[in-house]
Amino acid sequence: MSPATSSWRPSTRIHPGAVRPPTGPDRGDCVEVAACPDTVHVRDSKAPQGPQLTLAPAAWTRFLTYATHA
């Protein structure tokens, strides 16, 4: 499975007080994530055809743990 065939999902975290419409081009700053069996892909929702960050699942878990506690 590749990120092209995966289901991309938007980030669920936004800054406190920020208002982001649920859909459409005015959603604001957001990243999208696609989880594949051996990799996790992250991209900018405003530039879905742009570059993607590819991480091992363990690295993604460490990032989420850090971001949640920062």
Side-chain angles (χ1 to χ4, degrees):
M1 182 180 294
S2 73
T5 60
S6 297
S7 295
W8 288 91
R9 62 180 176 81
S11 168
T12 58
R13 306 280 294 184
I14 60 173
H15 296 290
V19 177
R20 182 179 74 202
T23 60
D26 297 326
R27 286 177 51 181
D29 297 332
C30 183
V31 297
E32 296 176 326
V33 178
C36 297
D38 298 321
T39 54
V40 177
H41 304 271
V42 183
R43 69 181 181 188
D44 183 343
S45 63
K46 295 182 304 298
Q49 301 305 321
Q52 300 171 8
L53 177 64
T54 301
L55 301 165
W60 178 245
T61 299
R62 286 192 301 272
F63 169 76
L64 291 178
T65 300
Y66 173 80
T68 303
H69 293 87

